[in-house]
Amino acid sequence: DAKTTQPPSMDCAEGRAANLPCNHSTISGNEYVYWYRQIHSQGPQYIIHGLKNNETNEMASLIITEDRKSSTLILPHATLRDTAVYYCIVSGMAYKYIFGTGTRLKVLA
Amino acid sequence: NAGVTQTPKFQVLKTGQSMTLQCAQDMNHEYMSWYRQDPGMGLRLIHYSVGAGITDQGEVPNGYNVSRSTTEDFPLRLLSAAPSQTSVYFCASRSPTGPSRYGYTFGSGTRLTVV
């Protein structure tokens, strides 16, 4: 699986968009990009995934660059409840994920 | 549906003791995994299973055994507990098909302390 690089921490003002970057320059053609988040010490929660097209769901949007070497998770209107650690995972095996250390997002009131 | 249920939620073991962490899911998911999370760190994959009777090692399998005799259950056994195994353990499951096939469902974790 490709290795991912994320900034260790970010702040975002409440109500503003939170843009979380992820670098995955060694991604292979069959590998998906997945995003999860972990609020406090709960189990991680799936957010969104993509292969090469941009994706949007009720939680977030995922923007993948054309060369697929990086992606950005966008939370359009961050709330205090979005404060969490966000993990970017790249995997070609649906049954095996390798988590990195993630980005700790703090949403400020 | 209860989702993924992990028991116990908390456990204190003495060095050298053995125990089994239980994980059960009621969603008929074929894929199941065990992760550990040390303080301030990301999750590391211990073992995973793609179906009943099939298991494989993850990143940090040493000191742990798993079995998958049914689709629902995926217990994790600590053979001889060591202080280095103090961690939070998460179990997760997903289906390889259907609308939820891309997202793992995680349990709430077992907090294990080895003294």
Side-chain angles (χ1 to χ4, degrees):
Chain A
D1 290 342
K3 179 179 168 58
T4 62
T5 303
Q6 299 177 252
S9 64
M10 295 181 64
D11 290 341
C12 177
E14 189 177 21
R16 305 298 292 265
N19 296 280
L20 292 94
C22 180
N23 183 285
H24 32 80
S25 57
T26 61
I27 191 170
S28 300
N30 65 340
E31 290 181 317
Y32 283 79
V33 180
Y34 302 87
W35 283 84
Y36 282 73
R37 73 180 183 184
Q38 187 175 25
I39 296 174
H40 217 344
S41 52
Q42 299 173 18
Q45 175 191 24
Y46 165 79
I47 301 173
I48 199 168
H49 75 279
L51 183 61
K52 51 179 128 178
N53 297 324
N54 298 338
E55 303 286 346
T56 296
N57 64 18
E58 65 279 3
M59 290 182 68
S61 294
L62 174 61
I63 308 297
I64 302 174
T65 58
E66 193 167 341
D67 63 8
R68 304 212 317 127
K69 293 185 177 183
S70 65
S71 60
T72 301
L73 178 75
I74 301 173
L75 308 178
H77 306 286
T79 71
L80 298 179
R81 288 175 294 180
D82 292 322
T83 292
V85 178
Y86 288 78
Y87 296 98
C88 169
I89 300 162
V90 171
S91 179
M93 291 178 283
Y95 49 84
K96 185 178 176 183
Y97 290 170
I98 303 297
F99 282 75
T101 52
T103 295
R104 187 172 297 275
L105 175 69
K106 187 173 182 180
V107 180
L108 306 172
Chain B
N1 284 353
V4 177
T5 302
Q6 293 186 237
T7 55
K9 293 193 184 306
F10 300 93
Q11 183 71 48
V12 179
L13 284 181
K14 293 183 178 179
T15 298
Q17 286 185 318
S18 63
M19 80 160 293
T20 299
L21 308 185
Q22 301 292 344
C23 176
Q25 51 92 8
D26 60 358
M27 300 170 284
N28 202 32
H29 286 174
E30 292 184 35
Y31 297 165
M32 296 187 75
S33 299
W34 274 104
Y35 291 86
R36 62 175 286 175
Q37 185 173 33
D38 298 336
M41 305 291 288
L43 284 78
R44 290 185 292 170
L45 181 64
I46 305 172
H47 286 284
Y48 63 95
S49 169
V50 298
I54 306 169
T55 64
D56 206 346
Q57 296 180 352
E59 304 171 88
V60 288
N62 292 342
Y64 307 94
N65 273 355
V66 291
S67 60
R68 185 96 182 271
S69 56
T70 67
T71 299
E72 295 78 19
D73 300 298
F74 191 41
L76 178 72
R77 280 182 288 278
L78 279 71
L79 308 174
S80 177
S84 61
Q85 294 179 303
T86 293
S87 191
V88 180
Y89 291 83
F90 290 103
C91 179
S93 75
R94 68 180 268 185
S95 171
T97 60
S100 62
R101 64 187 180 277
Y102 292 104
Y104 268 99
T105 299
F106 280 80
S108 57
T110 293
R111 282 145 185 82
L112 175 69
T113 301
V114 182
V115 297

